């Protein structure tokens, strides 16, 4: 009798836990479909951003670490680009941009109030892991690896407009890559038993393996390459339109489509998975 | 003999004036081709901007004139969007964005110095007419006419990200429309005699007629509509690609292509011509 009561209590507990998680999932609207939809839409934003940055030449004086020395190197020599991002993010922080957990600043500010109209954001992430991010790695990758391959040599003096387009790219990449937290949350909810064991064992290799789908990654890489072809072509009224489907394209593109493939292959996807693993490692804290 | 000397002096004067203008044109690199190339490239920027703004819902609290009352309505109630544009432009002004005459702020600032690395911009415009602009009309058109047609109803609370994408649109439209100054300069240099007579007579109707090419405007409007189709489609890896050439498209677009046609037809082209006429009226000051 006692054993039967314990068993039915256990059963009830499991049922209510499952129900609670299901409700949480329904309320937050987070599912593998909505997460994939978000990431697919962000690809367009990333590609548009790269095309817009490529409009300007390299403009190296904007990135010289000794270029901006006047009044506040924050303990080190800051480039004009860094100064611009810091000041722009301060305005955006005041305007409440980072109230949404989807947005994470590169230079965190402590802003006690916001000028934005009030809004109650729903919390879809597990709070102890919600702020996991790889913005430092994104910053370094963007300026040291991607930009030299993206922008043509030259200097047209439009430094503010140039770094303004850098900021748009950085924000898009940060939002896309750090969205790994949401991906991880959905995957965790969908396969709690397996993930819980691996998290408890801190088995990062197995976690990485469990959340990797090479077939899906291949689709993403080839799709962003195609987007770079479709969005980065010169559209004329009567000329043919590059569809990105043929292998022997003669069109010239504003951004090299193979660079966008490489961006996702070498940085965006691996960094996203790094975010996913780090999020999961804090998912039971 | 005296008459012959006067005639040859006159001839020499005309020759050297023409030569000087030709040199000015060569140095500045401004020609009908470069101007058209710039405007065609800006179309992509405008379409990308609109697609990115359409990612967010209407988010009306950001535009309520009484929404932002705290600490500084500048003599009137300012919306959150206006406050955000003002503060962002202040950072950009400090960063030297408006040292280039291609960029004109919506809220002019007196910034005595810039944090940007130094650069000597060439002057391609006639100085007395260089600051002609229609930013007030662009501002009003964007928020009152375009935005209600562009953004879907709804409120997701991402006000800072939303008005950030508004600012990108406003800057692109302002750069595109106020580029009418460069268009007018090129047209003036190419047909000085006719323009000078009309400018002296302040004959705005005849000026408008002289600088209008309906065939060219038609090409531009249909091309931006096509760009909205090509850039605003949902690109999938294996699905067909919308080329914007067929009349019976079944594809759904992120921004209605006919709205982009309308934007150019009703506002961008007429406002650009207004800038051209106003520039010309000051061209002999």
């Amino acid at each position: 009798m006692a054993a039967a009561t314990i068993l039915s209590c256990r059963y009830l507990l499991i049922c209510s836990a499952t129900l609670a998680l299901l409700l949480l999932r329904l309320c937050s609207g987070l599912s593998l479909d909505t997460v994939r939809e978000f990431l697919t839409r962000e690809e367009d934003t990333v590609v548009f951003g790269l095309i817009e940055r490529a409009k300007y030449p390299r403009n190296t004086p904007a990135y010289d670490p000794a270029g901006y020395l006047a009044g506040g190197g924050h303990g080190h020599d800051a480039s004009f680009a860094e100064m611009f991002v810091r000041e722009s993010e301060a305005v955006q922080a005041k305007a409440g941009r980072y109230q949404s957990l989807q947005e994470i600043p590169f230079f965190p500010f402590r802003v006690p109030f916001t000028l934005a109209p009030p809004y109650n954001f729903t919390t879809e992430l597990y709070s102890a892991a919600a702020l996991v991010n790889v913005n430092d790695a994104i910053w370094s990758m963007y300026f040291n690896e991607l930009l030299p391959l993206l922008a043509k040599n030259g200097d047209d003096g439009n430094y503010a407009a140039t770094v303004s387009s850098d900021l748009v790219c950085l924000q898009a990449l940060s939002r896309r890559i750090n969205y790994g937290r949401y991906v991880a949350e959905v995957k965790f909810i969908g396969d709690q038993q397996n993930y819980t064991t691996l998290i408890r064992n801190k088995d990062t290799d197995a976690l990485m393996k469990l959340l990797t789908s090479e077939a899906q990654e291949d689709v993403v890489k080839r799709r962003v390459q195609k987007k770079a072809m479709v969005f980065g072509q010169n559209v004329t009224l009567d000329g043919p339109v590059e569809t990105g489907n043929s292998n022997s394209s003669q069109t010239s593109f504003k951004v090299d489509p193979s660079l966008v493939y490489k961006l996702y292959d070498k940085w965006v996807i691996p960094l996203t998975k790094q975010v996913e693993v780090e999020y999961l490692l804090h998912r039971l804290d």
Side-chain angles (χ1 to χ4, degrees), chain A:
Chain A
M1 175 69 186
T5 311
I6 289 171
L7 266 178
S8 69
C9 274
R10 248 196 184 165
Y11 180 72
L12 263 175
L13 261 174
I14 292 170
C15 280
S16 31
T18 311
L19 192 67
L21 282 166
L22 195 69
L23 277 173
L24 182 76
R25 234 172 115 186
L26 285 173
C27 290
S28 69
L30 217 56
S31 72
L32 210 49
D33 280 347
T34 59
V35 162
R36 285 221 174 115
E37 202 179 301
F38 180 91
L39 293 176
T40 308
R41 178 60 188 84
E42 285 301 291
E43 291 164 9
D44 297 41
T45 301
V46 168
V47 173
F48 293 157
L50 297 176
I51 292 172
E52 287 302 284
R53 173 57 186 87
K55 205 163 87 165
Y56 300 101
R58 192 70 201 285
N59 282 341
T60 43
Y63 308 99
D64 182 356
Y68 166 63
L69 295 166
H74 300 277
H76 63 286
D77 291 345
S79 67
F80 169 75
E82 179 179 331
M83 177 285 298
F84 182 85
V85 172
R86 279 183 184 274
E87 296 221 5
S88 300
E89 281 193 341
V91 171
Q92 303 223 358
K94 209 164 83 176
R97 184 179 190 110
Y98 309 110
Q99 284 188 300
S100 159
L101 285 176
Q102 283 184 15
E103 309 271 353
I104 300 178
F106 286 87
F107 301 98
F109 294 91
R110 299 207 162 273
V111 183
F113 58 86
T114 168
L115 298 173
Y119 187 85
N120 284 324
F121 285 96
T122 53
T123 312
E124 294 155 327
L125 299 176
Y126 186 71
S127 61
L131 294 179
V132 161
N133 73 86
V134 291
N135 272 355
D136 286 350
I138 295 169
W139 180 274
S140 160
M141 175 277 285
Y142 181 79
F143 288 110
N144 301 327
E145 314 261 8
L146 184 63
L147 204 49
L149 300 171
L150 177 66
K152 289 193 185 75
N153 283 333
D155 185 349
D156 69 357
N158 288 313
Y159 306 127
T162 301
V163 295
S164 206
S165 69
D166 286 324
L167 178 56
V168 171
C169 287
L170 284 167
Q171 286 176 330
L173 288 167
S174 168
R175 195 166 48 237
R176 163 62 178 80
I177 291 168
N178 294 319
Y179 201 78
R181 294 165 296 157
Y182 295 81
V183 179
E185 177 65 25
V186 165
K187 287 180 178 170
F188 174 83
I189 296 287
D191 188 6
Q192 275 191 74
Q193 210 172 3
N194 273 325
Y195 277 107
T196 301
T197 313
L198 299 178
I199 294 167
R200 291 237 159 89
N201 296 339
K202 294 193 199 310
D203 192 341
T204 54
D205 289 348
L207 279 173
M208 189 62 93
K209 206 172 165 194
L210 188 57
L211 50 78
T212 294
S213 160
E214 272 175 26
Q216 180 60 23
E217 290 175 11
D218 184 58
V219 167
V220 170
K221 288 185 274 188
R222 289 192 294 131
R223 188 173 57 216
V224 291
Q225 178 165 2
K226 183 171 172 181
K227 286 184 177 182
M229 294 173 116
V230 174
F231 302 153
Q233 65 186 302
N234 293 309
V235 173
T236 55
L237 192 53
D238 302 312
V241 168
E242 169 64 51
T243 60
N245 288 329
S246 109
N247 286 322
S248 59
S249 173
Q250 296 300 312
T251 320
S252 78
F253 302 102
K254 299 192 185 77
V255 168
D256 179 2
S258 71
L259 176 60
V260 182
Y261 183 98
K262 181 180 174 170
L263 166 67
Y264 268 70
D265 180 41
K266 208 171 159 190
W267 299 301
V268 171
I269 292 174
L271 284 171
T272 304
K273 290 200 288 183
Q274 189 180 325
V275 170
E276 291 180 46
V277 170
E278 285 182 28
Y279 179 91
L280 289 169
L281 289 176
H282 292 282
R283 186 55 183 79
L284 304 171
D285 284 2

